[in-house]
Amino acid sequence: MNNLKPNYRILVLYNPENEKATSLLTGVALAKRINGAVDLLSVSSIKKLNNQPNQVALIRSFKEDKAELKSHLSKVGEELIDKEDVPLIFNSKVGLVREVIESHIRLTKPDIVILGNSKSLRKKLQSSSILKIVIDNHKGITLLSNSNSSLDEKLPLAFGFIDYLSQKHPFIKSLSKNSKQPFKLFQFSAESPTEDFKPQKDIVVYNFEDRAKMFSNFLRYIEQSNINLLCIQKTLLSFKTFQPQIKKEIINKLTNLETPILVFP
């Protein structure tokens, strides 16, 4: 790494039981693009140990689970350090998943949090999920990696934005140095144009007039546009912005995309 001091701290939430998880690969690729350092966190739920017959067995299982997780992360971390020129630290925890993640975010204050967008995550998005924990406690950027893409640093990025252009954000500026032009903007409220937006030759705008039926057919446009990073605002995932049913529809459609999703605060 050319710069010894990283520009961004990237927290990767990693589930070693998910063989198809790309969150760690995405974190490493992203760190290379923006001169970032990776903080790898894996949490094993203590609830799995509730069936132990007594306290002694519980303590023994707790220690074994923690040692196994630490050993796995050590192996993964050492392989990455040997292979990739990216600063990396790792933390293995056994406990209540929600509390561990909340505490780690509060203590470390990452710039970016990355989590996988697996099918199991999709099913939990509308309840008390990992994504909700991150969205509620993290003040920075969140990245949902998808099951087939790890944001290979060798490939140029093609950006898409929903309702709001964030191309002036320092993070987007860092990423867009190796991006395909033009940016694609998807607007779902034609009566309220995007703030500060002025038509430019390097931006293609798609307008969808009926907000009540938003996202009904925009996935087709994203796929045809070859976007490989979709940028949205956190308010898009908030109950304060939409009726619950509309929000569920939005999240369902978003999380079924094969495109990584970048969530801005």
Side-chain angles (χ1 to χ4, degrees):
M1 180 170 291
N2 295 327
N3 190 344
L4 295 178
K5 183 178 180 181
N7 294 333
Y8 294 91
R9 184 185 181 109
I10 304 170
L11 172 61
V12 174
L13 302 181
Y14 173 67
N15 179 8
E17 296 179 1
N18 182 2
E19 296 179 356
K20 295 183 179 180
T22 58
S23 57
L24 181 53
L25 294 176
T26 299
V28 170
L30 185 62
K32 286 185 172 183
R33 286 181 177 272
I34 60 174
N35 185 35
V38 176
D39 176 8
L40 178 61
L41 174 64
S42 188
V43 186
S44 179
S45 175
I46 199 171
K47 292 181 180 180
K48 296 188 301 182
L49 309 180
N50 287 342
N51 60 350
Q52 297 301 319
N54 53 59
Q55 189 173 9
V56 174
L58 174 64
I59 294 174
R60 182 173 62 249
S61 296
F62 176 88
K63 290 181 178 179
E64 290 174 353
D65 205 19
K66 186 173 182 180
E68 183 179 350
L69 181 59
K70 184 176 180 180
S71 175
H72 177 80
L73 289 190
S74 296
K75 181 180 179 181
V76 171
E78 288 173 3
E79 289 177 353
L80 279 174
I81 291 172
D82 289 341
K83 182 180 179 182
E84 310 287 357
D85 186 22
V86 171
L88 184 144
I89 59 173
F90 64 88
N91 293 276
S92 55
K93 305 280 186 179
V94 178
L96 296 175
V97 175
R98 169 183 287 274
E99 293 181 1
V100 172
I101 293 176
E102 287 179 355
S103 176
H104 195 84
I105 289 175
R106 283 198 304 270
L107 288 173
T108 62
K109 295 180 174 58
D111 300 294
I112 305 148
V113 176
I114 300 178
L115 58 157
N117 192 17
S118 64
K119 290 183 179 179
S120 60
L121 176 62
R122 293 172 189 170
K123 293 178 181 178
K124 298 176 183 177
L125 276 172
Q126 291 151 28
S127 60
S128 180
S129 66
I130 302 299
L131 175 60
K132 188 175 187 304
I133 295 171
V134 173
I135 292 296
D136 289 346
N137 293 275
H138 174 49
K139 298 185 183 302
I141 293 168
T142 301
L143 176 59
L144 287 173
S145 62
N146 87 326
S147 57
N148 295 322
S149 172
S150 59
L151 288 184
D152 189 333
E153 76 276 7
K154 297 178 182 178
L155 300 177
L157 289 176
F159 289 88
F161 299 85
I162 293 182
D163 267 351
Y164 186 85
L165 278 169
S166 307
Q167 84 273 32
K168 295 181 181 179
H169 192 285
F171 180 69
I172 291 294
K173 285 185 176 181
S174 297
L175 278 179
S176 61
K177 291 177 182 178
N178 183 29
S179 67
K180 290 181 179 178
Q181 296 293 339
F183 292 144
K184 308 295 174 60
L185 173 64
F186 300 90
Q187 289 191 141
F188 294 90
S189 50
E191 296 178 359
S192 304
T194 303
E195 184 180 355
D196 296 330
F197 171 70
K198 296 179 181 179
Q200 302 174 37
K201 64 179 181 179
D202 58 349
I203 298 174
V204 175
V205 181
Y206 299 87
N207 283 307
F208 299 83
E209 295 182 359
D210 190 350
R211 195 174 186 93
K213 295 180 180 179
M214 74 183 302
F215 291 62
S216 59
N217 62 347
F218 94 106
L219 297 180
R220 176 166 55 88
Y221 289 91
I222 289 182
E223 292 166 356
Q224 292 176 349
S225 300
N226 296 317
I227 290 170
N228 53 25
L229 189 60
L230 181 65
C231 304
I232 68 174
Q233 298 295 121
K234 184 188 289 190
T235 51
L236 199 61
L237 304 177
S238 171
F239 278 110
K240 295 179 181 179
T241 310
F242 304 100
Q243 294 296 323
Q245 188 57 42
I246 296 176
K247 180 192 173 187
K248 287 181 180 180
E249 182 180 350
I250 292 170
I251 293 177
N252 276 336
K253 291 183 181 296
L254 280 177
T255 53
N256 277 286
L257 279 173
E258 287 299 321
T259 307
I261 300 171
L262 200 65
V263 185
F264 284 88

